[in-house]
């Protein structure tokens, strides 16, 4: 009986952690979708809220951007993004960090020329002040 009580006490935090992970998983997927919408609408303020000040982005072409460059690039009016959608999204939790990985499809025009990209992404999120913020992102193109 005492063993059962100790076992239940030990499993309690695991069950609570699992519930939090499910809520956090849903939140992170929602944040990824909000990021997509912010890029479509060139909403730098929304991106500002999603990214840490130390954010680093590695683009599909190998270029690297910090937070300010990434946000400025997202506001570029010569790029008209009409679609950014994620698929096959998975969330992996580690102490103090979450990794979100998946596939994406982006369409639009860049300087009047159409683009239709399919790729993969890996985003690293950390809790900051009670909210998840992205600290690093990497994308690469794949052939469809």
């Amino acid at each position: 009986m005492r063993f059962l009580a100790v076992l239940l006490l030990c499993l309690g935090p695991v069950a609570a952690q699992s519930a939090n992970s499910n809520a956090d998983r849903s939140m992170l997927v929602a944040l990824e979708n909000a990021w997509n919408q912010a890029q479509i609408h060139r909403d730098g303020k929304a991106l500002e809220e999603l990214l840490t000040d130390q954010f680093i982005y590695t683009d599909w072409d190998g270029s690297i951007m910090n937070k300010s460059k990434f946000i400025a690039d997202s506001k570029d009016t010569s790029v008209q993004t009409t679609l950014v959608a994620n698929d096959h999204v998975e969330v992996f939790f580690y102490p103090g960090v979450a990794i979100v990985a998946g596939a994406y499809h982006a369409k639009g025009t860049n300087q009047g020329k159409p683009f239709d990209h399919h790729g993969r992404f890996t985003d690293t999120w950390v809790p900051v002040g009670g909210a998840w913020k992205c600290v690093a992102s990497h994308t690469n193109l794949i052939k469809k």
Side-chain angles (χ1 to χ4, degrees):
M1 183 68 152
R2 186 175 252 163
F3 172 75
L4 182 59
V6 170
L7 181 63
L8 289 175
L9 282 173
C10 291
L11 289 178
V14 172
Q17 183 179 11
S18 177
N20 288 341
S21 292
N22 288 334
D24 286 336
R25 180 174 281 103
S26 294
M27 175 60 72
L28 287 160
V29 170
L31 291 171
E32 292 283 354
N33 291 329
W35 183 332
N36 293 347
Q37 290 302 306
Q39 287 192 286
I40 288 171
H41 299 291
R42 290 190 291 280
D43 187 348
K45 185 170 180 146
L47 290 171
E48 178 78 31
E49 293 299 315
L50 292 170
L51 311 175
T52 65
D53 290 339
Q54 301 80 21
F55 175 77
I56 187 79
Y57 175 69
T58 306
D59 205 350
W60 60 268
D61 64 359
S63 63
I64 295 175
M65 296 180 223
N66 63 16
K67 180 181 182 176
S68 61
K69 173 68 173 124
F70 180 79
I71 291 173
D73 192 63
S74 296
K75 292 179 179 180
D76 182 355
T77 57
S78 70
V79 178
Q80 301 292 320
T81 305
T82 57
L83 170 75
V84 181
N86 296 339
D87 196 12
H88 305 294
V89 176
E90 295 189 56
V91 182
F92 305 91
F93 291 99
Y94 302 91
V97 70
I99 306 298
V100 181
Y104 73 89
H105 181 200
K107 287 177 76 169
T109 59
N110 185 349
Q111 299 180 0
K113 297 177 185 170
F115 67 86
D116 187 356
H117 293 165
H118 292 269
R120 299 264 181 215
F121 70 91
T122 305
D123 293 338
T124 304
W125 295 81
V126 295
V128 177
W132 287 102
K133 301 254 185 176
C134 188
V135 69
S137 181
H138 177 90
T139 60
N140 65 288
L141 294 179
I142 56 175
K143 292 185 180 184
K144 202 62 175 160

